[in-house]
Each structure stands twice: as C-alpha cells, then as structure tokens.
C-alpha cells in the first residue's frame, strides 16, 4: 500500500519543526494525530524515520534522505493544486516566503499590509532568517536575497529600494569621550560593535570613496549574530558602548532623533537592493503570481 500524502506531509512538518507539539501548531491538528500519522507511515515503509526522545525529535538517516526528496515533491503538489485558483474570481491559498531578517524589518512593512488588503483570500507565511536555504526544500514558494547570493537557475524580481548603504554611527556621548574618526583607519583605535553572520564569519567593515575601497579589521567589546542580535548592537551604540556599522535604513530613525551621529558618511558604501526570487522550472502558484504582480505594480507606481 502506498503511503498517504497526508502522512507524508505530517512527517515532513514534524521533522522541520523538530517536534510534534510545534508541528501541531503549524498544521492546526493535535500532536497525537501527527504522532499516529508518522507511526502509520513508518509501518507502511518498514523503516524508522524519526528518533524520538522526551526532549527532541531528530530524523534517522532514512528520514533525512526522505526529507531531501519529499520537500520539493510536496511543493510541486501544492503548486499543482494552486493552479485551480486561476478559475476563481481572485487568487486564494497560502504564500510562503523565506526572507532575511533585514528584509522583514526594512522592506516588507511597506508591502505586506497593502498586499493583504488587496488579496484577502491569500494567507502569507513568512520565515525570517539569515542563513541561506533552498527555498523549495524548506517548503517555501519564494525568497528574498541579495544579488550575490542568488542562484543561477532562479528568476529574480527587484523588491524594495534598488540602492542601499551601510552606515557607521555612534552616540554623542561616545564621540565626546573618544573623538570622531576622520578616516576609516581611525576606527582601529575605537571600540567597534560587530556582527557575525550565521555561518560564523564576522561582518567586514568596508568603506568606499572616489573609487578607493578600504576594508577595516575592527575590534571591540561586543559581537552579536546579525539579524536577531542587530537591535542589541544598535542599543549598545546608543548607550555609548562604541561604533556600530549597519544598514543605513536600520539606523535612520536613531540618526534622525540624534541618538546616533553619522560617522565617515562620505565613505559609506552603496550596494544593490534585494530581489524576490523563485525557481523558473515550476508553475508559479497563484498567490505567488499575485505577489509578484503587486510588487511590480508598487515599483511602477
């Protein structure tokens, strides 16, 4: 007997959530029902797919191999089902996006409310994280990333500002105590509040002016993981702990209020804005097509 699609989806959700309780909240069904679905699937396959303890649920080797193939397959099934939305008066269904925390903070707030108002039958699910993932294997329809992190087989649509800058800033009390850097190399003598990427590398501080690019190997009293810890970096800078280097848009409210003062502004480097990306090898689900059209319309307007 072939495994039931519902059981396969239950297994995939439990594995991704790392437990039956969290998966039950995602799917809106009981944890006991999910447990029974996974047991039923394991019985039909004759294999254990999940190691279960009182603290965690971890895929076995067989389970991990099944997840690798199952994620894209179920995504294709969901896409096929979404095709019927073209026969409705307006698109409906679920749109799942995987985005960096910076996009959730700086890009989507100006887009999401209007989109939800325009398409009340679409439910938007957003996962904000800074690690680079395979959006299809993660069960998402599309993602937002910057140009240097886009894969070649993806279709990319501009979203949000097309040019952004990194900015350096510090509080007035810090600058009064330590002085204001006049050149990027002066930062070598300052307390710099740094961020670390999810992969472990510390975010480089790069400055550019009139074609000259300078990378500064800064040091200081605080390192946080970028994204989730970025507000702590800013709060520490406001409190006078040192110099912060982050998205200008992230720092702008504090620059406007005077809580932070700009440093080395003529050296702030520019970079291209983010893209909404999705695979070109599959049918575009109606909720995603509606979102793409909405983003394009917003940019045209």
């Amino acid at each position: 007997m072939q495994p039931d699609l519902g059981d396969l989806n239950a297994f995939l959700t439990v594995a991704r959530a790392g437990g039956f309780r969290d998966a039950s909240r995602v799917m809106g069904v009981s944890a006991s029902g999910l447990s029974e679905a996974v047991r039923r699937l394991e019985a039909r396959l004759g294999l254990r797919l999940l190691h279960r303890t009182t603290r965690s649920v971890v895929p076995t080797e067989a389970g991990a191999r099944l997840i690798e193939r199952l994620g894209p397959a179920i995504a294709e099934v969901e896409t096929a089902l979404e095709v019927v939305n073209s026969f409705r008066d307006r698109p409906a269904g679920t749109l799942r996006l995987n985005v960096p925390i910076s996009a959730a903070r700086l890009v989507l707030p100006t887009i999401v409310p209007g989109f939800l108002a325009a398409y009340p039958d679409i439910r938007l699910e957003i996962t904000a994280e800074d690690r680079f993932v395979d959006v299809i294997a993660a069960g998402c329809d599309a993602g937002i990333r910057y140009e240097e992190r886009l894969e070649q087989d993806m279709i990319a649509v501009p979203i949000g500002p097309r040019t952004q800058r990194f900015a350096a800033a510090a509080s007035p009390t810090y600058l009064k105590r330590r002085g204001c850097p006049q050149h990027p190399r002066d930062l070598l003598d300052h307390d710099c509040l740094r961020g670390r990427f999810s992969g472990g590398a510390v975010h480089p501080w790069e400055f550019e002016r009139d074609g000259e690019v300078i990378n500064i190997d800064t040091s200081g009293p605080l390192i946080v993981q970028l994204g989730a810890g970025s507000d702590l970096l800013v709060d520490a800078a406001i409190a006078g702990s040192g110099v912060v280097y982050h998205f200008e848009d992230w720092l702008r409210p504090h620059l406007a209020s005077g809580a932070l003062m700009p440093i080395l502004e003529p050296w702030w480097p520019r970079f291209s804005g983010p893209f909404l990306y999705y695979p070109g090898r599959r049918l575009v689900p109606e909720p995603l097509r509606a979102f793409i059209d909405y983003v394009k319309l917003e940019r045209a307007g």
Side-chain angles (χ1 to χ4, degrees):
M1 182 183 298
Q2 292 297 319
D4 180 78
L5 182 60
D7 292 349
L8 290 169
N9 193 38
F11 159 70
L12 187 62
T13 304
V14 170
R16 285 174 174 163
F20 291 93
R21 184 175 299 175
D22 289 341
S24 70
R25 286 194 287 266
V26 173
M27 295 192 70
V29 299
S30 69
S32 60
L34 289 176
S35 180
E36 177 59 31
V38 173
R39 282 197 297 267
R40 191 163 53 239
L41 177 62
E42 289 176 327
R44 288 177 177 174
L45 295 178
L47 292 167
R48 179 173 288 276
L49 300 175
L50 296 173
H51 291 302
R52 305 164 178 80
T53 70
T54 57
R55 293 177 178 268
S56 64
V57 174
V58 180
T60 64
E61 182 178 359
R65 293 292 298 275
L66 180 58
I67 291 169
E68 290 178 5
R69 297 296 187 90
L70 194 57
I74 287 186
E76 289 292 341
V77 171
E78 292 177 345
T79 298
L81 294 175
E82 291 288 357
V83 170
V84 301
N85 276 327
S86 61
F87 295 96
R88 298 170 57 97
D89 292 335
R90 55 190 180 186
T94 300
L95 172 60
R96 299 179 179 89
L97 302 178
N98 184 284
V99 309
I101 294 173
S102 59
R105 174 75 174 269
L106 304 176
V107 176
L108 292 181
T110 62
I111 296 174
V112 167
F115 174 74
L116 294 179
Y119 297 97
D121 293 332
I122 292 178
R123 183 179 69 176
L124 187 58
E125 294 185 9
I126 296 174
T127 300
E129 57 182 340
D130 284 323
R131 66 187 182 94
F132 188 72
V133 300
D134 182 334
V135 291
I136 303 305
C140 294
D141 301 292
I144 295 177
R145 287 296 182 270
Y146 286 87
E147 189 171 10
E148 68 273 11
R149 305 202 68 178
L150 292 175
E151 297 181 10
Q152 294 298 316
D153 62 345
M154 293 289 177
I155 297 176
V157 177
I159 186 172
R162 296 327 307 143
T163 302
Q164 294 179 276
R165 292 196 299 179
F166 281 115
S171 71
T173 55
Y174 176 87
L175 296 176
K176 182 177 180 180
R177 185 174 75 249
R178 299 292 300 274
C180 185
Q182 301 301 309
H183 190 277
R185 294 190 183 92
D186 294 343
L187 291 170
L188 295 172
D189 297 322
H190 282 264
D191 295 329
C192 296
L193 312 175
R194 297 174 294 167
R196 188 188 302 278
F197 294 116
S198 58
V202 174
H203 183 214
W205 288 29
E206 181 179 287
F207 297 89
E208 181 180 0
R209 183 177 186 179
D210 298 330
E212 180 184 7
V213 178
I214 298 177
N215 288 283
I216 303 298
D217 186 13
T218 57
S219 62
L222 178 64
I223 299 178
V224 306
Q225 182 168 320
L226 289 171
S230 291
D231 282 334
L232 177 57
L233 276 183
V234 176
D235 289 342
I238 292 172
S241 299
V243 180
V244 65
Y245 179 87
H246 212 302
F247 287 98
E248 178 187 6
D249 293 336
W250 200 302
L251 301 181
R252 182 175 289 116
H254 308 293
L255 293 170
S257 71
L260 291 175
M261 302 296 293
I263 295 174
L264 303 169
E265 186 169 358
W267 289 89
W268 291 357
R270 296 180 179 274
F271 57 97
S272 62
F275 291 84
L276 175 74
Y277 73 99
Y278 58 97
R281 63 180 183 273
R282 56 187 293 222
L283 293 172
V284 178
E286 283 299 310
L288 176 56
R289 171 54 59 195
F291 189 74
I292 293 169
D293 291 343
Y294 184 84
V295 168
K296 290 179 176 180
L297 183 62
E298 285 291 296
R299 289 190 55 77

